[in-house]
Amino acid sequence: MFADERSIVRFGVGRNMVTSIRHWSVACGFMYENSDGRYVPTGLAKQIFDGLDPYSEHPATAWLLHWNLAGRGTRSTTWWWLFNCIPQQTFDRNAVFDSLKSFCAVAKRDVSDSTLRRDVDVCLASYVSRTPKASNEDVAEPVLAELPLLQSQINSAGTLSFRRGAKPTLPDALFAYALLEFWIATGAGGPNTSAEKPSRFRLASLSSESVLRICTQHTPGCGN
């Protein structure tokens, strides 16, 4: 789908954009490279685009994209880093850049400053609504901007904050799906798991009260 020259005609974009589409399709969990080196749709992609939400109109699809990018972090390290390793409620893009650069140095990842800054800018912009002054090329809202996760500080350029609290558009079933996947991947689940540990739920910027509401609503005895 992406390897031959026909992909440029098929998608109606340039070669670099074809490469970008392939990257983000994998990062979002919608495609994978099989044993033959071909990129094919995942079962999840088929379920969503062949029936459940073919035009990505349901908020649950955006939440799922967020989980795949920031929860799993496959090919999206900056997204994972932002929602798992930035403890401050309010921060600026330089702080994200500096901490991520330090992480790359420790992990011995050779990444240029320009590439890292561009990745941070793209990550943050994907969660914030466009301003009225945006150019015609940027008027389309990012899919993740509809999620109440980040907000810009009006009087402080480049400063953002996490929006903690209830998330009415986040389906309880999807929250449970992400939580179970997290527990399986990290071995963090168990009878003593506490909603007071914010790192467990930072990905959705949920308050402990919101987590307890979900637990008590669907799990008898959870709130006792």
Side-chain angles (χ1 to χ4, degrees), residues 102-140:
S102 297
F103 167 74
C104 290
V106 172
K108 300 186 184 305
R109 303 283 182 84
D110 187 16
V111 183
S112 69
D113 285 2
S114 59
T115 297
L116 202 56
R117 285 193 184 279
R118 185 167 59 250
D119 214 41
V120 170
D121 288 344
V122 171
C123 175
L124 297 178
S126 66
Y127 289 95
V128 179
S129 296
R130 304 297 191 194
T131 65
K133 296 181 180 180
S135 65
N136 290 335
E137 294 180 355
D138 295 327
V139 292

Side-chain angles (χ1 to χ4, degrees), residues 15-27:
R15 187 183 303 278
N16 290 339
M17 186 59 69
V18 169
T19 301
S20 180
I21 292 172
R22 181 182 65 191
H23 170 85
W24 290 113
S25 295
V26 174

Side-chain angles (χ1 to χ4, degrees), residues 49 69 77 108-109 157 164:
F49 298 116
L69 290 170
T77 302
K108 300 186 184 305
R109 303 283 182 84
R164 286 179 57 81

